[in-house]
Amino acid sequence: MALAFLSSHDVFGFRFLLLLTVMYGLLSLLSHSVIYMKFITPLPHDAPVDQFSEARAIEHVRILSEGIDGRQVGRPGLKKASEYIMGQLEVIKDRASSNLRVEIEENSVSGSFNMLFLGHNIALGYRNHTNIVMRISSLDAKDTEPSVLINGHFDSPLGSPGAADCGSCVASMLEIARLIVDSGWVPYRPVIFLFNGAEELFMLGAHGFMKTHKWRDTIGAFINVEASGTGGPDLVCQSGPTSWPSDVYAEAAKYPMANSAAQDVFPVIPGDTDYRIFSEDYGNIPGLDIIFLLGGYFYHTSYDTIDTLIPGSIQARGENLFSIIKTFTNSPKLKNTYLTNSTEVTANTFNNERAVFFDYLSWFMIFYSRRVANILHSTPIFVFLVMSFMCGRSHSWSATLFDFGKGFLFHAVETILAIVVPVAFSILRLQFSTQTMNWFAHPCLAFVMFIPASLVGLLIPRSIQRDFPLSQDAAIVKTSKEALSDEARFWGAFGFYAIFTLAYLVSGLSGGFITLIMSVSMLPAWISFSLSVKFVGRRTLRSTISYILPLIPCVAYAVYFGGFLAQFVIEKMGMMGSLPPPYGYYVPDVIVAALIGILTGWCVGPLMPICGRWLARPSILQFLVHFSVFSLAISSQFFPYAVSAPKRVVFQHTVRTTGSSEVMEATYDFSVTDSNAIPFLFKHAPEVAKELNVTSDFSIESILVSQRRDWMAIFPVSFLFSNSVKFSTSKDDILKQYEYFPKLSVQHPYSNKGPRRVHLELHLGSLEEIWVTVLNITGPLSNWSFADNVLPGTETYGGGPQSYICRLSGPSDSNWTFWLEANSSEAIRVDMAVLNQKLVGPATRLKGLFPDWVDVTAYSSFMSSYLF
């Protein structure tokens, strides 16, 4: 029963709002089922041998992540993992039929090169990293036959079991290799599996393969398999350098999960994959970068376990990969790519322009070339201009165009306010809250908090200006004002999306399909509405429904894509870095509020020209504002973190040494990777605070601040930190555990001839599980023995002078030896940090005091400085 103070129009408006809520709710449930692989049935362990089985792959993941203790570089588990993979490949080889040739190699790779990573110049030196390579081909295949490479890494990040990253990749590759052998399929072209053992240290294994392996020049196409989460859509994040790989994917993928817009945003996401080594830095090979993206809460944490893998994800990945591999190997273009790699000219083989592609709810794939995009993406703006002429009468064409322009501005203002209003609400909320990111462990809360506020922004212009300011005279054109207003609002909104579609095209980006779908879908909706008006009238529910129904496919895609994007961003906000106060405190909420505002505008915007009349009522606006305030107030009662969405803490036991056996200082350094800073951590982890003698009045200003240069061992990730703290601790435990510390020494005296060259030897002391050694070199350095005697760009690190950064990794019984060359008599300074993965007893106990909603990445950093 309607409340007495509501008019009949208000009651209808609320009913219509409820109808839309139900519609969007159902579409959200559909999208959720697709995103979380509910439509995939994982095959059991006893599935037929000619089918990919997730259960069989999971057994590999179980052994790699649970049966082996740590696959980090420098730990014994990495060697055990390589032995396990070799053993499994040998079993597969033994099962191969007589019409297959199966070759297996285990290679030790070493080298050095320069790289730009996360916007920072860095040199990388490595030795004795393990790559395992398997080649499956027909008996008559030649060694120079063009081949397809599938790459995945078996090392894991610091402190993580690496079940998804990238145990799932290795498991998928092992199951596919078995499937090739057991299914009786003989590849038309060779298939090469590269299990590389050093990706987490900045793509070293892939570099070693591309620089040294005998099959590197035979690669005609590649698929890089990665994980930035524990499952969900196995998204094609990068494709190139030609349009052919994405064309193959569109043709072959059984469960397509790709869109070219990902290539527009991937370069701004912190991180990188082996894709750049094969396709950009050390090869020009066409390929696909396929990555698990959801479950990012557990990425690079101790919670990346087999229990957090999203069921169905590996099954979909495996079935897709097997089909794509078949299509690649059968493609006549594969040989042409190989000939291109062998320096034969095939300039017209591929179109080097980026294609446009996207999946529709993983049901099917739409793919078209850039040439077709030039036509398709220009069509909406052409339609907009033509319709402004056709709708205008001979005496009022300019007035019609002017009205369409006003409709464009109205829709633009609505869209902008849909972003601004939730951002303003988020900032206002934080004025009364002691913590940010309350939505982090509760993603649905973010939608409840910000969608009503975004709807307020969408409706404000319509509620203020209920009567559209027409330039046309309804009496002259013999059309009602309502019809002219609807026409102006509709074509204005259509023109808004048409302009964005064209802008995407002109800028060279590939995400224009998003607004193209919107503008194209609006046309049948308008036709349906116009026909309905003739029979049932303009201001009826039936005519409005007739407008909505043709838009449902567009809205469903918007909800699917938008929901996935929002979930991905929310999960990643826990590792995007902590910015300095006061503004850093607001950044995560502002980003999420703005994103949900954009997505709300995208999902609801096409409905607004016709449906806005029912919703832009003062009572509905008042309700939405009250609901927004209430949800924002309630949100403050939600704790930001949980075991299923842990807070990330970096705990570094810093040991400053001099010589090989003396400790100058030892500290516990802490940093966080989101905007709830260290005081928040100690407030909610009282046992840790008690152990460190932190009182209730703790503040950053009252404690020793850990400078960026103190975190040199994890450069350049350390640039994500701010307001880190440190506490002095005892040196005795370090001295008891280690007899010798890392040390740099002069290998032999300087030569008086030519430039001053310092030959150095790096002793790593008694450390047992070394992940990486970082050198920060300042002074008159003119050359060195790394990276083919090429210096990288300089860095200004920790407020110091211009310097060169070099990272060294890899196991060996011998010491590192290298030389530095100076162009003057001024001393060269070398600051060194050695990251050891072992902790001494007290540090281990301290780590164990953190609550289970905190994931602690802990290690020891041995730092020393030298002048030469």
Side-chain angles (χ1 to χ4, degrees), residues 345-364:
V345 178
T346 56
N348 296 321
T349 301
F350 297 121
N351 178 4
N352 286 322
E353 295 179 333
R354 293 168 63 182
V356 177
F357 54 90
F358 59 95
D359 71 281
Y360 186 85
L361 278 71
S362 197
W363 295 345
F364 58 86

Side-chain angles (χ1 to χ4, degrees), residues 92-102 139 181 184-186:
I92 293 171
K93 180 178 180 179
D94 292 341
R95 295 170 59 170
S97 62
S98 58
N99 57 352
L100 284 177
R101 181 194 301 167
V102 179
L139 288 179
V181 168
W185 174 56
V186 179

Side-chain angles (χ1 to χ4, degrees), residues 174-468:
L174 288 173
E175 175 65 1
I176 288 172
R178 181 210 60 78
L179 181 57
I180 293 174
V181 168
D182 287 347
S183 66
W185 174 56
V186 179
Y188 182 69
R189 299 292 190 189
V191 179
I192 296 175
F193 293 89
L194 170 59
F195 302 86
N196 87 70
E199 190 272 346
E200 297 293 353
L201 287 165
F202 304 168
M203 293 79 77
L204 304 182
H207 177 267
F209 177 87
M210 290 301 294
K211 295 297 287 186
T212 64
H213 203 276
K214 63 182 180 182
W215 290 328
R216 68 185 185 275
D217 290 329
T218 72
I219 308 301
F222 75 92
I223 304 169
N224 182 58
V225 189
E226 254 294 0
S228 184
T230 57
D234 199 21
L235 195 72
V236 175
C237 291
Q238 299 182 92
S239 172
T242 72
S243 60
W244 173 52
S246 50
D247 189 12
V248 168
Y249 183 90
E251 175 187 346
K254 185 176 179 180
Y255 307 106
M257 293 170 275
N259 70 74
S260 49
Q263 298 183 112
D264 299 335
V265 300
F266 191 85
V268 304
I269 298 175
D272 228 322
T273 72
D274 287 328
Y275 174 90
R276 67 176 287 183
I277 300 295
F278 300 119
S279 186
E280 299 169 359
D281 293 358
Y282 294 92
N284 192 36
I285 306 172
L288 300 168
D289 199 15
I290 303 180
I291 308 176
F292 281 157
L293 288 181
L294 291 187
Y297 289 126
F298 313 111
Y299 174 65
H300 283 204
T301 74
S302 61
Y303 291 101
D304 182 7
T305 64
I306 198 167
D307 295 328
T308 59
L309 294 176
I310 298 174
S313 302
I314 294 178
Q315 185 69 43
R317 164 181 275 181
E319 294 185 31
N320 277 352
L321 285 178
F322 189 53
S323 179
I324 295 165
I325 291 168
K326 281 186 171 181
T327 307
F328 265 133
T329 56
N330 291 326
S331 172
K333 295 182 179 180
L334 185 66
K335 184 176 181 179
N336 291 329
T337 307
Y338 163 66
L339 294 175
T340 301
N341 290 341
S342 299
T343 70
E344 293 190 22
V345 178
T346 56
N348 296 321
T349 301
F350 297 121
N351 178 4
N352 286 322
E353 295 179 333
R354 293 168 63 182
V356 177
F357 54 90
F358 59 95
D359 71 281
Y360 186 85
L361 278 71
S362 197
W363 295 345
F364 58 86
M365 185 92 169
I366 294 176
F367 172 95
Y368 50 92
S369 67
R370 176 63 62 172
R371 183 175 299 178
V372 173
N374 289 336
I375 299 172
L376 286 180
H377 292 204
S378 303
T379 301
I381 195 67
F382 174 76
V383 171
F384 174 75
L385 295 174
V386 169
M387 290 306 299
S388 67
F389 176 79
M390 292 181 63
C391 291
R393 285 58 181 174
S394 58
H395 55 277
S396 60
W397 177 81
S398 59
T400 302
L401 183 60
F402 198 42
D403 281 343
F404 285 10
K406 292 177 184 177
F408 175 93
L409 291 177
F410 263 94
H411 199 75
V413 171
E414 288 172 354
T415 304
I416 292 170
L417 288 177
I419 303 169
V420 170
V421 172
V423 168
F425 271 74
S426 72
I427 295 173
L428 181 64
R429 182 189 77 87
L430 292 177
Q431 304 300 315
F432 305 97
S433 177
T434 59
Q435 60 193 28
T436 182
M437 297 176 58
N438 298 76
W439 36 260
F440 180 65
H442 320 279
C444 291
L445 182 62
F447 295 98
V448 173
M449 289 168 63
F450 299 126
I451 286 179
S454 183
L455 289 175
V456 170
L458 277 174
L459 296 173
I460 284 175
R462 187 75 173 253
S463 62
I464 294 175
Q465 187 77 49
R466 294 196 60 83
D467 296 325
F468 191 87

Side-chain angles (χ1 to χ4, degrees), residues 56-57 79 191 272 415 436 457 476 593 601 636 837:
R56 286 192 285 257
K79 178 64 175 175
V191 179
D272 228 322
T415 304
T436 182
I476 295 177
S636 298
Q837 297 169 79

Side-chain angles (χ1 to χ4, degrees), residues 12 66 112 117 162 180-181 227 249 383 444 469 519 557 588 605 649 659 689 694 722 753 762 776 805 836 848:
F12 184 87
E66 295 179 356
S112 63
F117 186 79
I180 293 174
V181 168
Y249 183 90
V383 171
C444 291
S519 55
Y557 181 78
V649 173
V694 173
S722 67
K753 297 179 180 179
L762 169 56
N776 181 30
I805 308 290
N836 188 41

